Amino acid sequence: MPSTFHSIETAKRSLFTQTAALNTTGHNIANANTEGYTRQTVKMKASIPMEAYGINRSNVPGQLGTGVEFDAIERIREKFLDSQYRGENTELGSWTIRSNTLDKLQQIMNEPSDTGIRKVLDNFYKSWSDLSKDPESVTARTIVKENALALTDAMNHMSKQLNNLSADLTSNVEAKSSELQSYVNSIADLNQSITKIEGLGDNANDLRDQRDLIVDKISKIVNVTVTDTDQGYNVNMGGQALVTGFEPTTGINGAFLQAAFASNDLQGGEVHGMIFSRDRFVADYTAQMDNLANTLATGNITVTLPKGSVLPEGTVLNGVTYTGTSRTLQSDLTVTVKGLNGLHQLGYTQEDKDANGNMVAGKPFFVTSNNGGTITAGNITLNTAIVDNPNAIAASLRITGTAPTEELVKGNNTLASLMSNLKLSNFTSVSTGNTATIDSFFSSMVGQLGIEAQEATRQTQNSTALVSQVETMRQSVSGVSLDEEMSNMIKFQHAYSAAARFMTTFDQLLDKLINSTGVVGR
């Protein structure tokens, strides 16, 4: 038999449950624009009926219901979509950094333009052509010197920019490692808090949202996999644990991430993009620029010296030492020399004779700024003897007489002409052994950069679209719809009002039963 006050209890349960539903709806509405928030719902169920199956069961037919109750407030979230999102977000992080780095490299190369290396090279060759028209002109020699300085300055500046970009990427890896360490610590703390709260039987929905949001942010930095355990999330980067229950990995720094990259544990994310861009893109173009500078200065080139040319005393070409009367070529001679430096040393300057009465031969045109070692884009510079005295530029291959009465053939432009023709001459690369013009080497580098930048842009756009698609799917499941919440609010409000009306009605029945029964005839 039901209690006299059974329906009062039924109405009370309904009021409490609809109140919880309304409060949860209000919480959803309040967080409609909160990053990482997952909509929540009250899990309602019919409460245990009055007459359960048993030996003392009443003979009254049917089971009398006792109303409604809720056993949990749950998040509406799909783990599969979370996993998809984090995987695509990792790819997006890596490709975004690569694309940005290649864009910066394109700005450093600055091609095609009227101010890039190609234009400076053209001006340099043109100045030699102008000198060949008036080899005794101090003005023309000064222009050659200034254009050579402009070329070395451009290479030095480009090398410095490349080094700065590499250093920036390294410092960004350190900054991201600090950010990652902070996130890892936060997840370990949240694991502990969530475990404590849920050990009491409640769902720590908002704390779980915070934890999932942090994992989403980590997935942009490095690749992660997540395992949900009794002690919370275990977060791994490849085979490297970042969080194990309540214990975060400590000592996350640039060296830690560099080691993870080397071991292939770090396979995606912004940090992967930074290290890959630094060690692959920036290092490659730095090496190519160094090779370009060294090849221009010392790479093998084949030239033909015209008949009548007089080589400096002691010159060695094709294994033959030229001295005395043999210095004068009796026929055209095709030789291989060590780049622009080697060719310049075959000619004569307009400086005073040396101590033996010989005309002064050309010096190495390009040298290193640190006075030694291999020529690179970072250290290539014009020989200080030429900087101090443009007459030290060799333009002639002709002299008359013998020492100590040697005299320069005035107006001879043989070497200056050969220098100006180097624009179309093939150089043998110092580092690769490939043969091409200097312009072709540089054009190949610019073309490679353009293709890599185009591919990175395409991959970034694809990754952005995939992340957006998965996020849209996540929001369709977990996001707050204000229209839906308003509809629910009206539904729960009406249910609450109906339950209150039911309680009022039954209160009136009880009033009649208690206060009016048994008073007839009084």
Side-chain angles (χ1 to χ4, degrees):
M1 286 293 293
S3 166
T4 303
F5 299 97
H6 165 78
S7 295
I8 293 290
E9 187 66 21
T10 299
K12 184 192 76 173
R13 288 195 186 95
S14 179
L15 291 173
F16 285 172
T17 300
Q18 303 307 324
T19 298
L22 281 168
N23 288 336
T24 302
T25 300
H27 185 52
N28 288 340
I29 292 171
N31 288 280
N33 297 315
T34 300
E35 182 184 14
Y37 179 78
T38 303
R39 69 186 180 96
Q40 300 174 13
T41 183
V42 175
K43 304 301 292 184
M44 301 182 189
K45 66 176 183 179
S47 55
I48 298 174
M50 189 70 184
E51 293 286 335
Y53 181 79
I55 193 171
N56 294 322
R57 180 180 179 277
S58 170
N59 291 325
V60 176
Q63 288 186 320
L64 185 61
T66 59
V68 67
E69 62 185 5
F70 66 98
D71 57 0
I73 299 176
E74 296 181 347
R75 300 189 306 159
I76 306 300
R77 196 167 184 111
E78 178 57 62
K79 289 185 178 180
F80 173 71
L81 293 177
D82 285 341
S83 179
Q84 271 196 323
Y85 175 83
R86 289 160 188 163
E88 298 299 341
N89 203 32
T90 296
E91 287 297 309
L92 175 60
S94 180
W95 280 111
T96 298
I97 295 297
R98 292 193 223 181
S99 180
N100 290 341
T101 301
L102 289 166
D103 285 344
K104 291 175 183 177
L105 285 171
Q106 286 186 310
Q107 293 173 10
I108 291 173
M109 291 295 177
N110 195 25
E111 294 290 347
S113 73
D114 293 332
T115 57
I117 291 288
R118 196 194 309 273
K119 182 64 176 178
V120 179
L121 273 169
D122 288 343
N123 291 339
F124 175 67
Y125 290 128
K126 184 177 182 299
S127 66
W128 278 105
S129 178
D130 292 341
L131 178 60
S132 70
K133 298 172 185 176
D134 189 3
E136 294 183 277
S137 170
V138 175
T139 300
R141 290 171 176 272
T142 301
I143 291 174
V144 170
K145 181 195 78 171
E146 293 301 328
N147 277 294
L149 287 172
L151 176 59
T152 58
D153 286 346
M155 288 185 173
N156 295 162
H157 181 63
M158 184 176 292
S159 178
K160 182 180 179 181
Q161 288 180 304
L162 290 170
N163 290 335
N164 288 342
L165 179 56
S166 179
D168 287 344
L169 289 168
T170 299
S171 63
N172 286 340
V173 170
E174 289 290 346
K176 285 296 178 181
S177 68
S178 298
E179 185 179 355
L180 179 59
Q181 182 70 75
S182 175
Y183 287 152
V184 164
N185 294 341
S186 296
I187 289 178
D189 291 340
L190 285 168
N191 279 344
Q192 194 165 15
S193 298
I194 291 170
T195 301
K196 288 179 179 179
I197 292 173
E198 295 189 347
L200 301 175
D202 295 326
N203 290 331
N205 294 322
D206 295 323
L207 293 183
R208 282 182 172 268
D209 283 347
Q210 293 178 29
R211 186 175 63 182
D212 282 328
L213 178 60
I214 293 175
V215 174
D216 288 347
K217 291 181 177 180
I218 289 179
S219 71
K220 188 74 174 290
I221 301 174
V222 297
N223 53 290
V224 291
T225 54
V226 178
T227 305
D228 200 354
T229 69
D230 292 339
Q231 288 191 322
Y233 279 177
N234 287 346
V235 182
N236 295 296
M237 177 180 64
Q240 176 67 56
L242 297 179
V243 182
T244 304
F246 306 154
E247 297 298 326
T249 295
T250 58
I252 297 178
N253 54 26
F256 174 90
L257 294 173
Q258 183 68 53
F261 181 85
S263 65
N264 211 32
D265 286 325
L266 177 57
Q267 298 180 338
E270 292 175 331
V271 175
H272 175 270
M274 291 170 187
I275 297 176
F276 184 92
S277 296
R278 182 194 65 193
D279 296 348
R280 165 66 176 80
F281 296 141
V282 180
D284 179 37
Y285 289 109
T286 299
Q288 289 194 56
M289 280 303 303
D290 289 343
N291 177 57
L292 183 73
N294 196 16
T295 298
L296 175 65
T298 65
N300 287 344
I301 51 174
T302 300
V303 295
T304 299
L305 305 178
K307 176 182 177 181
S309 299
V310 182
L311 301 176
E313 179 69 28
T315 299
V316 178
L317 292 174
N318 296 345
V320 178
T321 302
Y322 292 84
T323 183
T325 58
S326 68
R327 294 163 54 197
T328 303
L329 302 181
Q330 301 305 313
S331 61
D332 290 352
L333 178 65
T334 300
V335 295
T336 299
V337 296
K338 294 292 184 180
L340 194 145
N341 281 359
L343 182 57
H344 189 256
Q345 292 178 83
L346 298 181
Y348 299 96
T349 72
Q350 292 194 147
E351 296 176 292
D352 294 334
K353 298 178 184 179
D354 64 18
N356 296 321
N358 293 315
M359 294 304 301
V360 177
K363 302 172 181 63
F365 197 80
F366 293 118
V367 295
T368 61
S369 57
N370 51 7
N371 298 318
T374 302
I375 290 177
T376 66
N379 65 25
I380 188 172
T381 187
L382 184 60
N383 195 315
T384 54
I386 298 174
V387 175
D388 296 337
N389 181 14
N391 283 328
I393 295 174
S396 173
L397 282 176
R398 295 289 184 91
I399 62 172
T400 60
T402 59
T405 60
E406 286 184 352
E407 294 294 337
L408 184 70
V409 175
K410 294 184 178 181
N412 181 263
N413 67 350
T414 307
L415 184 61
S417 295
L418 290 174
M419 286 287 192
S420 65
N421 289 334
L422 290 182
K423 176 179 175 62
L424 303 177
S425 299
N426 286 331
F427 288 70
T428 299
S429 169
V430 175
S431 63
T432 66
N434 295 331
T435 300
T437 65
I438 294 297
D439 280 353
S440 294
F441 281 127
F442 188 69
S443 296
S444 173
M445 179 170 29
V446 173
Q448 175 188 338
L449 176 58
I451 292 172
E452 288 178 336
Q454 185 179 31
E455 173 64 10
T457 300
R458 185 186 69 83
Q459 292 283 13
T460 302
Q461 291 172 345
N462 288 346
S463 294
T464 300
L466 288 171
V467 169
S468 178
Q469 181 183 33
V470 177
E471 177 61 12
T472 299
M473 294 171 65
R474 279 212 308 180
Q475 288 301 315
S476 69
V477 174
S478 303
V480 175
S481 168
L482 291 178
D483 290 339
E484 181 181 359
E485 297 302 327
M486 291 298 292
S487 175
N488 287 340
M489 185 171 61
I490 294 172
K491 179 173 65 175
F492 299 142
Q493 179 189 9
H494 286 176
Y496 184 94
S497 298
R501 180 60 183 168
F502 169 65
M503 178 175 281
T504 300
T505 299
F506 205 79
D507 178 63
Q508 293 174 349
L509 294 177
L510 290 176
D511 178 66
K512 176 61 69 176
L513 175 65
I514 294 170
N515 296 318
S516 300
T517 301
V519 298
V520 177
R522 290 187 181 178

